[in-house]
């Protein structure tokens, strides 16, 4: 028979053996897998984020080339810029003065007058009036050009001409030198003055200045930009049309893949959103620096400094608005990921919101106000409704132009109110059960028990959850 000491020793040994068997072994393979997933996630998110600014620029360029409304919205405001109008008038006057010899016209006119039977004093005054007459014709051309270019009618003609001739940009990028907007072989981008001078000629004739008929049809192009990249843009036209569509989706796919690969997806989504917002803010800052180099490269030749700035300012707002929209979406995603994640502060805030909404809902129920079947539907579809609110808010930020501070603020406020409304309108099953209990006068239920049931739907389960999703 086994003695007590031996039994104790044997049970102790068996207990130690079982404890060693139950002791978890180091998960070397699992740790290596987690590290590999983390590395892959970081690489995907970094590449997707770095590709985002390039995608914004490619998408903008594609829209300018293929979207007539966007092109007109970009270029049309130039005609309302005083510096650009003044530059256009100067170029028109210079071109007309080059093509038409007003001194010779004045000499011919006064030579004809001299043949008339005029009094001697009038004959003597003719040579003195010849030069002022030439200057008067030049002044008339300038004043007419200023009036035509500054008129609202010409602004409308300018916009319509841009819209109708938008295909000229595509022709220029494809190398058609007969287009109104041309890109030369050395990368010079220019606008033909022929249509503008033709309109001024028509106005002069209509005012009775018949000598304007002697202004010939002029084929002259004024340069507005000079860059080797323009030649590259012409040769890469087809490629750009493809990249403008592919790059934004590729950037989004890389960032999404990085979040899905990550083990701690909530944290990965937060960092992805913040990284996207940060790099878009850097892009907006880079635009301000680019403007300095752009103006310096174009002024004073071929464009005056203020005109070069006006040209850049007509393009930059669309790029900066797109970058700002992407930054806001990235920041919004980061905020939503935090609030929906397994973080202590987020759980506390969600609990407070649910308790507050539950208190308001229960007060309404006690007053006989209930959302009934609609509230039960809202409860079942609450996640879908939350996603729908987020998608609509992101769409407003991404696609509404111009993107103003008021648009951003109102979008955020309306989205927040929509989320709160969903919380108030939904009718969880436990709340419905509590309502049935309160309205059933034939059931004898303790008041404390009823209050305990009321608190069930507003309490949040906080156990057993880790930051792995």
């Amino acid at each position: 028979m086994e003695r007590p000491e031996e039994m104790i020793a044997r049970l102790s040994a068996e207990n130690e053996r079982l404890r060693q068997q139950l002791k978890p072994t180091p998960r070397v393979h699992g740790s290596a897998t987690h590290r590999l997933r983390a590395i892959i996630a970081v690489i995907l998110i970094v590449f997707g984020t770095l590709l985002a600014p390039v995608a914004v620029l490619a998408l903008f360029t594609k829209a300018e080339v293929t979207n007539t409304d966007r092109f007109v919205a970009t270029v049309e405001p130039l005609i309302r810029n005083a510096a650009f109008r003044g530059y256009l008038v100067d170029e028109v006057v210079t071109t007309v003065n080059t093509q038409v010899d007003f001194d010779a016209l004045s000499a011919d006119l006064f030579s004809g007058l001299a043949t008339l039977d005029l009094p001697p004093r009038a004959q003597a005054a003719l040579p003195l009036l010849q030069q002022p007459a030439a200057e008067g014709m030049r002044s008339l051309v300038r004043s007419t050009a200023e009036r035509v270019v500054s008129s609202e009618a010409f602004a409308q003609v300018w916009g319509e001409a841009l819209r109708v001739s938008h295909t000229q940009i595509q022709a220029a990028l494809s190398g058609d030198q007969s287009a109104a907007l041309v890109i030369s072989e050395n990368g010079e981008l220019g606008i033909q003055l022929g249509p503008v001078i033709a309109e001024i000629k028509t106005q002069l004739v209509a005012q009775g200045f018949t000598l304007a008929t002697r202004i010939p049809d002029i084929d002259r192009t004024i340069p507005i930009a000079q860059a080797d990249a323009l030649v590259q843009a012409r040769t890469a036209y087809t490629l750009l049309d493809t990249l403008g569509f592919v790059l934004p989706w590729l950037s989004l796919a890389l960032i999404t893949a990085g979040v899905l690969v990550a083990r701690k997806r909530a944290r990965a989504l937060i960092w992805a959103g913040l990284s996207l917002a940060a790099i878009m803010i850097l892009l907006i800052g880079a635009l301000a620096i680019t403007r300095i180099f752009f103006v310096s490269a174009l002024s004073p030749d071929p464009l005056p400094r203020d005109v070069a700035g006006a040209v850049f300012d007509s393009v930059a707002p669309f790029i900066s608005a797109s970058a700002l929209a992407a930054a806001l979406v990235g920041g919004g995603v980061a905020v939503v990921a935090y609030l929906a994640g397994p973080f202590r502060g987020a759980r506390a805030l969600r609990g407070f919101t649910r308790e507050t909404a539950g208190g308001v809902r229960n007060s309404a129920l006690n007053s006989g106000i209930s959302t009934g079947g609609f509230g039960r539907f809202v409860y079942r579809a609450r996640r879908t409704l939350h996603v729908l609110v987020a998608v609509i808010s992101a769409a407003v930020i991404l696609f509404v132009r111009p993107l103003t501070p008021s648009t951003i603020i109102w979008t955020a406020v309306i989205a927040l109110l929509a989320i709160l409304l969903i919380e108030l309108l939904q009718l969880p099953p436990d709340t419905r059960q509590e309502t049935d209990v309160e309205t059933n006068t034939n059931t004898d239920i303790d008041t404390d028990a009823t209050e305990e049931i009321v608190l069930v739907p507003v309490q949040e389960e906080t156990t057993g959850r880790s930051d792995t999703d």
Side-chain angles (χ1 to χ4, degrees):
M1 184 174 180
E2 188 176 20
R3 293 181 299 177
E5 296 83 359
E6 295 176 347
M7 181 180 295
I8 293 174
R10 181 176 61 79
L11 292 176
S12 298
E14 182 67 16
N15 184 47
E16 182 62 25
R17 185 182 67 81
L18 294 174
R19 182 177 304 187
Q20 292 297 328
Q21 289 180 354
L22 295 176
K23 186 177 180 179
T25 58
R27 300 179 60 184
V28 178
H29 177 70
S31 300
T33 302
H34 292 162
R35 285 195 297 270
L36 179 61
R37 288 177 60 182
I39 293 173
I40 294 175
V42 169
I43 292 175
L44 290 173
I45 293 175
V46 168
F47 272 97
T49 303
L50 293 177
L51 191 61
V54 182
V56 169
L57 295 176
L59 183 62
F60 165 78
T61 308
K62 171 182 168 61
E64 290 296 318
V65 172
T66 62
N67 190 309
T68 301
D69 292 334
R70 176 65 62 83
F71 171 75
V72 172
T74 301
V75 181
E76 185 179 23
L78 274 177
I79 201 60
R80 305 185 186 278
N81 182 274
F84 183 80
R85 288 200 307 264
Y87 172 71
L88 192 59
V89 169
D90 289 340
E91 290 295 323
V92 167
V93 171
T94 300
T95 302
V96 172
N97 289 338
T98 302
Q99 298 294 325
V100 180
D101 189 348
F102 288 106
D103 291 325
L105 282 176
S106 180
D108 291 343
L109 175 62
F110 281 91
S111 295
L113 292 175
T115 61
L116 300 177
D117 187 14
L118 298 175
R121 295 180 63 181
Q123 289 283 357
L126 287 179
L128 300 177
L129 297 176
Q130 181 175 324
Q131 186 60 34
E135 294 299 329
M137 286 187 285
R138 293 189 183 95
S139 177
L140 180 60
V141 171
R142 173 172 288 276
S143 62
T144 303
E146 290 175 347
R147 185 171 62 254
V148 169
V149 171
S150 301
S151 66
E152 185 63 28
F154 184 79
Q156 295 176 1
V157 171
W158 169 271
E160 289 301 320
L162 290 174
R163 183 175 300 278
V164 172
S165 63
H166 177 253
T167 53
Q168 296 290 343
I169 289 185
Q170 296 174 325
L173 290 174
S174 62
D176 184 1
Q177 294 300 310
S178 65
L181 185 67
V182 295
I183 298 177
S184 64
E185 293 298 331
N186 62 354
E188 185 177 81
L189 178 66
I191 297 178
Q192 291 190 5
L193 287 179
V196 179
I197 295 177
E199 176 66 21
I200 294 172
K201 179 179 177 180
T202 302
Q203 293 285 338
L204 288 171
V205 173
Q207 296 175 38
F209 186 63
T210 57
L211 291 176
T213 58
R214 301 183 63 174
I215 300 176
D217 294 334
I218 297 173
D219 182 14
R220 170 172 163 74
T221 300
I222 57 173
I224 62 173
Q226 173 83 35
D228 295 336
L230 294 174
V231 178
Q232 299 173 4
R234 186 181 66 186
T235 58
Y237 169 64
T238 304
L239 179 61
L240 177 64
D241 188 44
T242 302
L243 292 180
F245 175 79
V246 173
L247 288 182
W249 290 107
L250 179 60
S251 174
L252 180 61
L254 289 174
I255 295 175
T256 303
V259 173
L260 294 177
V261 169
R263 187 171 64 90
K264 298 181 178 180
R265 293 174 182 169
R267 294 183 183 274
L269 190 57
I270 293 173
W271 282 110
L274 293 178
S275 299
L276 180 62
I279 201 165
M280 287 302 166
I281 293 175
L282 289 178
L283 176 60
I284 296 174
L287 285 176
I289 299 175
T290 303
R291 187 186 191 278
I292 299 175
F293 290 100
F294 180 86
V295 173
S296 299
L298 294 183
S299 60
D301 186 28
L303 294 178
R305 186 176 186 85
D306 51 355
V307 178
V311 172
F312 184 87
D313 293 339
S314 69
V315 175
F318 293 91
I319 302 176
S320 59
S322 299
L324 177 60
L328 290 173
V329 170
V333 167
V335 171
V336 172
Y338 173 79
L339 295 177
F343 308 104
R344 180 178 300 176
R347 288 199 299 265
L349 181 60
R350 290 198 302 269
F352 173 77
T353 302
R354 291 177 181 176
E355 289 177 3
T356 303
V360 174
R361 189 165 50 242
N362 290 334
S363 298
L365 290 172
N366 292 333
S367 301
I369 302 174
S370 174
T371 54
F374 177 74
R376 291 189 288 272
F377 166 77
V378 172
Y379 176 78
R380 291 192 299 269
R382 64 191 184 280
R383 297 186 185 278
T384 302
L385 293 175
H386 289 163
V387 172
L388 186 61
V389 170
V391 170
I392 293 176
S393 302
V396 170
I397 297 298
L398 287 174
F399 299 113
V400 170
R401 294 294 181 272
L403 186 63
T404 61
S406 60
T407 301
I408 298 171
I409 294 174
W410 277 111
T411 301
V413 170
I414 293 174
L416 180 60
L417 291 177
I419 296 297
L420 293 177
L421 188 62
I422 292 172
E423 289 293 330
L424 291 175
L425 292 179
Q426 64 179 320
L427 191 64
D430 289 337
T431 304
R432 182 184 60 194
Q433 177 184 354
E434 181 269 335
T435 305
D436 295 339
V437 169
E438 285 190 350
T439 56
N440 188 356
T441 57
N442 296 325
T443 304
D444 185 15
I445 295 183
D446 181 73
T447 304
D448 293 335
T450 303
E451 292 179 354
E452 183 178 355
I453 295 175
V454 171
L455 294 177
V456 169
V458 299
Q459 290 180 346
E460 180 180 8
E461 182 180 358
T462 59
T463 60
R465 187 173 182 179
S466 62
D467 186 15
T468 58
D469 294 330

